[in-house]
Structures are given as structure tokens and as C-alpha cells.
Amino acid sequence: MNKVNLAHKFAQFSEPWSPKIVGELNGQQVKIVRFQGPFVWHHHEREDELFFVVRGRFRMEFRERAEWVEEGEFIIVPRGVEHRPVADDEVQVMLFEPATTLNTGNVRNERTRETLDRI
Amino acid sequence: MNKVNLAHKFAQFSEPWSPKIVGELNGQQVKIVRFQGPFVWHHHEREDELFFVVRGRFRMEFRERAEWVEEGEFIIVPRGVEHRPVADDEVQVMLFEPATTLNTGNVRNERTRETLDRI
């Protein structure tokens, strides 16, 4: 029941595309992650995902269109929807998603993180 | 799959203690709410709650202690734990919690909001 300061948590790591767990509730996890550059196209079979921009901005690409998500904004990507986050400049993002969510969804490659650190 | 801008959503209402639904995923809801003054002591039997401060600060009171939660910080209150948010000055808060969560938990009084607007 201690509060979590996002700036302090972000100061603890610099690697992009490596989500860290900072909270857990109701079977869901709160994660923070740095995006830089393009991620991998993927979808999640059973999980909806929320992306909240803490600092910076990024573009969420869908197959048919893209949406810029700015500081203080969030976007929810429903299960089954192919997406690819792209960050031209580094961005700090908070995620809210089920504890079962794998970062690369249906894809496994060098970007996949099977186990995440709690910080 | 449209993004949500929190500042734009907060601009749509001014009443304190009246949560609005701004997103839904995995059976959870994202709500925004303005706190001003003391709320009611309560707990939730089955729901953990996350409080993220978008603007301002408030004090989460527990029976044994209190925690100040500042802008860019969040606190998770586990199910069963009695708590009372108190805002000396108005604060803007984003909540993540199950869709079943009643704002006043085990208490019903004039602060209870049985149905929430989606904005």
C-alpha cells in the first residue's frame, strides 16, 4: 500500500522495449516501458491492452491507419487487433493489462520478454 | 480504438466525487474523478483499486496511517482495506478498477453513485 512514483521508477532503467512490473491488482498488471523506434507487428488473442503516455509521444500503427498518442493520453487496443507501436523519439509509457500478457503477443522473437522484473 | 485525452475529458465536468467512465478493458474500467474535501470511509469486498494522480495531490487515509499521493504517482488499495481519500485542494484522479466497483464500497450514502456516465 505504498505509493509508486513513475519518474523514480523510470530512472531505474534505460533499455527500450523491456517492460517492468510496478503494480498488480485484480489479476491485472501495471507495467512501465520505454519505447524507441519501431516494435514488432503482433496481436494478443485474449488480452486488451491500455497504453498511457507518461512522457513524450508515439504512434500506434494499425493495419489500416495510425494514431498518435501524446503525453496525458491513452489508447486501448482490443484483443485480436494487430498493432505496432512506433516511437520516433523515446517515450515513457504505462501499460495496464492482464498479468498473462506477453509483450509480443502471438509473435516470439528477439524482442520477446518472457519474464519481467518488478521494480 | 481512438485515443483518450485526459485533459479534454476532465474539461467536460466539474462536480467532485462523481466518477466518469473513460475506458473499459478486460472487465476493468478506467474512470476519472475530481476529489475535493474528505470522502467517506469505506472498503471494497472484492475489488482492488488503483488511484493515479493526473493533477494535484491528495492524501489516502488508512486507519493506521496516511499516504500523500502526488502528481505522476499512484497507489493501489487492496480489497478489504478501509480507506478514505481526502483532498485539501481539488485533485484530478484516474482510477483502474473492476467494472463492478461501487465508489463508496460497503457504504451507501449521498456520495454513492450507482450508475456512472461515460464521457
Side-chain angles (χ1 to χ4, degrees), chain A residues 1-6 22 24-26 30 48 50 52 65 67-68 72-75 78-79 81 96 98, chain B residues 1-6 22 25-26 30 48 50 52 65 67-68 72-75 78-79 81 96 98:
Chain A
M1 293 200 309
N2 295 316
K3 70 179 180 182
V4 171
N5 180 295
L6 293 185
V22 295
E24 191 149 7
L25 72 164
N26 306 301
V30 186
D48 312 320
L50 183 148
F52 176 80
R65 66 181 186 96
E67 182 109 337
W68 279 97
E73 297 182 340
F74 69 79
I75 191 167
R79 61 196 69 186
V81 174
F96 185 59
Chain B
M1 294 200 309
N2 294 317
K3 68 178 180 183
V4 171
N5 180 295
L6 293 185
V22 294
L25 71 165
N26 306 300
V30 186
D48 312 321
L50 183 149
F52 176 81
R65 67 181 186 94
E67 182 109 336
W68 280 97
E73 296 181 342
F74 69 79
I75 191 167
R79 61 196 70 185
V81 174
F96 289 123

Side-chain angles (χ1 to χ4, degrees), chain B residues 29-76:
Chain B
Q29 285 178 340
V30 186
K31 301 170 187 173
I32 60 172
V33 59
R34 293 174 185 269
F35 293 166
Q36 188 157 32
F39 199 53
V40 54
W41 281 105
H42 68 284
H43 70 274
H44 304 272
E45 288 294 342
R46 286 178 295 275
E47 295 106 349
D48 312 321
E49 277 191 300
L50 183 149
F51 300 76
F52 176 81
V53 174
V54 176
R55 185 176 297 270
R57 67 199 293 247
F58 77 100
R59 193 170 63 252
M60 184 63 83
E61 295 186 354
F62 304 106
R63 287 299 188 184
E64 304 295 322
R65 67 181 186 94
E67 182 109 336
W68 280 97
V69 190
E70 313 276 345
E71 207 165 297
E73 296 181 342
F74 69 79
I75 191 167
I76 294 173

